[in-house]
Amino acid sequence: MTKVADRYLEVDPWAVIEHGFHTDRTRVSESIFSLGNEYMGVRGYFEEPYSGSSLRGSYLNGVYEETPIIHPQYFKGLSKRLCFMINNVDWLHTRLSVDGETLDLAVSQIKDFERRLDLRQGTLTRTFTWRTATEKELRLTFVRFVSMVNANLGCLRVTIQPLNFSGSVEVESGLDFSIPYELEGQSFWQSTRAESLNNGASILAQTRSSGQQVFSAFEIQCSQTFDSKPIEKEKFIGQQFTLSIKQGQALVFDKLAVNHAERQAGVSPDEVWNQGMTVFLNGTGLGFDQALEAQAGYWSDVWNRLDISIEGDPENQQGIRFCIFQLHQTYHGVNPGLNVGAKGLTGEFYYGWTFWDTETYCLPFYMFNNPAAARNLLGYRYHTLPQAIERAQQLDCRGARYPMGTIDGTESVGTWQHGDLEIHVSAAVSYGIWHYVNVTNDKEFLYGQGLEMLIEVSRFFASRGAWSPQNGDFGFWGVMGADEFHMMVHNNVYTNLMAKKTFEWTQATITEMKTSAPEALSAAIAKTKLQPDELTDWSHMAEKIRINYDPATRLFEQHDGYFDMPHVDVRQIPPTQFPIYKHWAYDSIFRVNPIKQPDVLLFLFFFSHEYPLDVKQANYEFYEARCSHESSLSPSIHSIMAAELGKHAEAYQYALHAARLDLDNYNRNTHEGLHTTSMAAAWLNMVYGFGGLRSDGEVLSLNPSLPKDWQAFTFRVLYRGSLLQVKVSHDSVSIQTVEGSAVSLDVFDQRYEVGADLVSVPLPDERRGGS
Amino acid sequence: MTKVADRYLEVDPWAVIEHGFHTDRTRVSESIFSLGNEYMGVRGYFEEPYSGSSLRGSYLNGVYEETPIIHPQYFKGLSKRLCFMINNVDWLHTRLSVDGETLDLAVSQIKDFERRLDLRQGTLTRTFTWRTATEKELRLTFVRFVSMVNANLGCLRVTIQPLNFSGSVEVESGLDFSIPYELEGQSFWQSTRAESLNNGASILAQTRSSGQQVFSAFEIQCSQTFDSKPIEKEKFIGQQFTLSIKQGQALVFDKLAVNHAERQAGVSPDEVWNQGMTVFLNGTGLGFDQALEAQAGYWSDVWNRLDISIEGDPENQQGIRFCIFQLHQTYHGVNPGLNVGAKGLTGEFYYGWTFWDTETYCLPFYMFNNPAAARNLLGYRYHTLPQAIERAQQLDCRGARYPMGTIDGTESVGTWQHGDLEIHVSAAVSYGIWHYVNVTNDKEFLYGQGLEMLIEVSRFFASRGAWSPQNGDFGFWGVMGADEFHMMVHNNVYTNLMAKKTFEWTQATITEMKTSAPEALSAAIAKTKLQPDELTDWSHMAEKIRINYDPATRLFEQHDGYFDMPHVDVRQIPPTQFPIYKHWAYDSIFRVNPIKQPDVLLFLFFFSHEYPLDVKQANYEFYEARCSHESSLSPSIHSIMAAELGKHAEAYQYALHAARLDLDNYNRNTHEGLHTTSMAAAWLNMVYGFGGLRSDGEVLSLNPSLPKDWQAFTFRVLYRGSLLQVKVSHDSVSIQTVEGSAVSLDVFDQRYEVGADLVSVPLPDERRGGS
């Protein structure tokens, strides 16, 4: 299938710019122009009411509602309770009227519209000229940001410049909990208290079922003094006021808003209110300008660690920076109770759920620039271990069965074929632990939370697996692997291999701890009630687990009988049949050989050092030809593998989709929200793909390549306290540490000690993209 | 698993009798004492109000409501609309009061309670003595039946005999549409018109969604003249009146009620009303006594054709007669728009749906005593062919995909794993056609409706199947076979074999018709737009279809990889874990080797002549040991196979469950309704099991055996116009035609011409159940 860009935004190295108002793409723009700071996120909807198509999505991370899951028929173990991130207070609400006409871009006459997301300081600016029915013209500018320094704070600056008249403008500014959650057509909020403040207001609201509370308050700051009139409606409080404006002169007013979420149910409203008011008084004191200055400083530091620069490819340059910007906005490890939703804080789809994307795609991004955030992501799994243990029991198993999709650690996925059969999710957690420790050497984590999780995941796999009466080997029957186009399969090789690894990591950690941390080991054994015969069983299972591999063809068989499945040539499926989930009868997806996403290729990438190139090549060529890429996470893995195999054109082609998936709306569903976790895949694509980084060996290794049209590219990774910079150009790979001490690493299979002095290694011919 | 009888009813050859009122089994009794006549059915609930546990289930066949099916996530092709047979007018409603005290068996003081279902005339009689708080005693008797001669008519006779006083009794009699449908807790009826009549009333009601209408009317007939007072409530109309009673004298009043269903939506209420009134005036004219006389005559004829008598086993004698009685009540082929629901007209569970049980279990019962009914069952499939063709298209297939569960021919099953994957249902229809024609030689049917269905089912299988890239053979991937404990399996051998047969039957019919019915053939080809290359494809597919068989072990492998599935010994599963569906986590059912019901054994039975005894024995011993019998249809097939293999003790043990499944409430769910289609399996068990009948050859064959404790048993089958009687006793099998001309058949593999003169064949030693 050929995916086609739908481009209307300007390509720029440090910004995303919309020239002219694209009324047919309002929701796509809203997603792309999203802002966030982990604590909260807001789509790029307009501050003022807009009667056209819009999703006024404002979200606080971890604030959700719940509803029973209805099944056509209930069976034991099926998930019963769906949690979904709800839309939250619209703290941007601003209404402007002149001569009784209220601004609404769906009906108002406007020109010179421009919208700009500044990636260097995290601001969204919108400017345009409004011509009223009374022929008055005003130049309007809205600048907003959510503070990375004070997570509760959101700031808005409105600049009004009357071009051909002097007079006045009526303003209404407020806090609105009444916006319906679109997927259900209702607001889940009940306002419990609301008060007017001096030039502002505050409001407390509570969800209907989950019992969470959100406090919100705002203040208008303006050089002009004005009288404001309180306005209160259902689930809404605000102020109305009139500002005098003079022809040619720009009048500025700022709205500083603070949101405070109490995620625990049962806290008294008074306590939340008082906490909220304290946060509010602390948060708004600095004012817009100082808050913006702090914001710019913050982002400058971030880009110093995170930037990837590409010379000669402005599209990918913009794409990868947009991805890094959105990823960092969504999560940077402040709170181990939070995680990364598939769409971050940018839309209602996927319900704000966290998937195993976190460990397999997002974790490396954080490991290499913000290890504390990576540890907090694993901490989230530790904090939700009790839920995973309970889930295993519901499914007649033991140990920890991590959920397919979750907000609070419980399984929210109601389709049992995913929620119950994708047991590999637990292995993603053990893989994350191992990978994180392999790169960071954080033994304290491993010996504590890490080991406890490894034991419980091993215990789960031991209880879920079974023995073949035919061959006497161990395996997993009735699963869905990483590839979701095959269901109720037996011995999915990805699942089996990940379970084998889990058993081995657990054993190795215990062996290591016997000498290095015997007390921590005793504590973990006591806590998990680990029995000696469990360890014996796990060794036996790891040894006897079925891994379908044919030495003659060097192919892994994705699951028992996969090679026997009827063949459909994915390249012959017409583009009109994508997405396949919507165009094919459901059951017909599962009985032919196209795959949705990499499965065998995924572990060949994860454990790159263990497989020779000819094995990777054989499997890449076989499975790439059968992959539909119905998952947005799919192309990056293929690009990474293609880069390693010297298939430069393919590597580049796959990468283009990854970095610009949302900017060019390749999947035609960006209006639903950004593909946030796919952005991590895009980062992997640059660093593991063209950078050729591998982090599964004893030291980091690099095997870079340079796409044909690029002059050079540069990226940085934080590795055991040292900030490494890698520049790949036409003739060489140049590496140095820009912070910290020297580190050992392999470049093109050669070991180097890299410090502050530039190490330059020639780029072999075959690592340059051919003509 | 050992199933245990829960017996409280008296064993009697021609009746089911309850002595004493079993308040803890009211719902079980209601199911067992159900009456029906194909057009309508009514559970054995009390005429008067009962404040204890009760399901006042009254049903009209084919009258249903519909509701959308809600899925946790909707995927293309999933069934969206659930049809369910709703409870209908309570036409028995009768309230009796003395001295202001209203009879209610949950609180009233009663004694000498007896209830009796008379299988010879289809009446239910209840009698008991009521002692009021004022110490008045009345002997009450209620006799009811639904007329087999006039399908609209239901009759009730109430006899009141005051034992120790003279005085009066207050009576309320009516028609009640307000009884809630229990599974949803609401009545789906809206009353659109109601009128009082002379000593009676009539009412018209309409369903909420399906737009069907039901007219009901009644008249009280009594030797005593009385004044009645109309009473009208929501969804209810009736009459109240007072009757004088004299000590020692029995006073009788009869209630004659008529129900008339308009199943088509959109008919004007006036038209339905007028039709209903006509039916009412015709129906009530005869009066109770004459209607009862006709009823008894009808049943006498039926038993002449249908009875199975067993000497020396009163329990199985009662059991099999009860099954025959209930089956014939539920369906006897008056209307090709109707079919047999899994629970007949006796409860809400299974929603009144028809399953493939009809063709595989019920059809032979009708073929051998009422061929017109058998033809009408197939006619139902023909009339719903358009729905089956549409369903195939929804699933991206062609031809006819018959529904898993249905009332109106559309798929009502919302669990896609059954509704979408059990493609063998279409083959049950083609099997039914072939089997019916093989026994009846009804070529007219075969050459018309039959061929058209065969073509469309073949077309479906051709479009649903695929070719293995590994072996180049044809098959079906991603199915659920007859065994519902394995899902999304490949090349289920039952499904593959049934499809192969379908292709072959279609080819053979077309070949035959080229000479015998070329015009009908041309018509069918034109109507189905059959292309010559389709026939070529079907031949090729039939030839190349995968049938997993190992000549070394003589075992068929139930599906690809079945022998490799982890083993769980079904005999070690504790009884507390049954039913497995409720006690095991859903997904855990599908990844071990226990099966729910026969799969391989089913086709070894269907096509008995094609498989040698050693193959049957190997597969029986292998699969019987792995069968959980979670389906109530399962034991009979095992009994039949065991009888053939000379495993007499097993054959008897399995048969005991089959014939008395409901009378002894083996599955502890008879309160939900009777296992109507399992009753057909019980009949098969007698005739095909101990009778050893096989109907898949050129002529009928018999291979009888006699259970150890039986002196003899006798059954009759109608075969090509001749009524054959077979008596199996200790030393011989005696066969004769009691009506019609002589027929050829095989007894113990020897051909006989059997006419009115008794043919007696010795019963070999090994066909007698050992000690």
Side-chain angles (χ1 to χ4, degrees), chain B residues 20 34 46 60 160 211 263 267 437 460 484-485 532 539 631 643 651 658 666 680 733 735:
Chain B
S34 288
F46 301 150
L60 294 196
I160 306 171
R263 298 189 193 90
V267 179
V437 173
F460 167 69
E484 291 178 321
F485 274 3
S539 286
S631 163
Y666 277 107
V733 181
I735 315 171

Side-chain angles (χ1 to χ4, degrees), chain B residues 476-520:
Chain B
F476 299 97
W477 276 257
V479 304
M480 183 183 274
D483 165 34
E484 291 178 321
F485 274 3
H486 294 95
M487 184 199 297
M488 196 60 89
V489 300
H490 312 315
N491 296 298
N492 167 259
V493 65
Y494 172 82
T495 305
N496 283 22
L497 191 97
M498 294 298 276
K500 176 185 169 74
K501 290 281 185 189
T502 300
F503 291 139
E504 290 169 352
W505 294 324
T506 310
Q507 296 278 6
T509 303
I510 288 173
T511 303
E512 177 182 317
M513 288 173 72
K514 280 179 182 161
T515 51
S516 63
E519 283 177 26

Side-chain angles (χ1 to χ4, degrees), chain A residues 279-301:
Chain A
V279 172
F280 172 61
L281 296 172
N282 291 340
T284 53
L286 286 179
F288 186 95
D289 289 318
Q290 281 193 55
L292 179 56
E293 197 177 312
Q295 175 88 346
Y298 177 93
W299 274 108
S300 169
D301 285 350

Side-chain angles (χ1 to χ4, degrees), chain A residues 32-90:
Chain A
I32 290 171
F33 292 117
S34 289
L35 292 177
N37 66 359
E38 181 174 321
Y39 191 83
M40 58 182 172
V42 63
R43 287 167 59 84
Y45 61 78
F46 300 149
E47 287 77 1
E48 73 280 3
Y50 178 69
S51 59
S53 178
S54 171
L55 178 66
R56 293 185 84 81
S58 163
Y59 307 98
L60 293 197
N61 209 337
V63 177
Y64 62 86
E65 264 290 29
E66 53 187 76
T67 189
I69 298 171
I70 299 172
H71 301 273
Q73 187 174 358
Y74 184 76
F75 299 104
K76 182 171 180 252
L78 268 56
S79 178
K80 290 179 176 177
R81 176 174 163 267
L82 182 146
C83 296
F84 52 102
M85 181 177 75
I86 50 172
N87 66 326
N88 218 299
V89 59
D90 175 16

Side-chain angles (χ1 to χ4, degrees), chain A residues 19 80 172 206 305 342 348 454 545 665 668 677 729 735:
Chain A
H19 281 302
K80 290 179 176 177
E172 176 185 293
Q206 185 164 349
R305 270 180 292 127
E348 297 178 0
L454 285 174
I545 204 162
N665 195 8
R668 299 297 189 268
T677 50
S729 63
I735 316 171

Side-chain angles (χ1 to χ4, degrees), chain B residues 92 99 190 254 640:
Chain B
L92 286 164
D99 294 341
Q190 293 168 317
D254 298 333
I640 292 168

Side-chain angles (χ1 to χ4, degrees), chain B residues 362-379:
Chain B
C362 301
L363 196 65
F365 171 78
Y366 294 104
M367 272 158 42
F368 284 112
N369 71 65
N370 185 352
R375 182 168 172 162
N376 270 353
L377 283 177
L378 295 169

Side-chain angles (χ1 to χ4, degrees), chain B residues 121-137:
Chain B
Q121 56 180 8
T123 53
L124 175 63
T125 303
R126 176 172 57 121
T127 181
F128 57 92
T129 301
W130 174 27
R131 183 179 168 91
T132 68
T134 52
E135 303 197 342
K136 290 178 177 163
E137 287 193 353

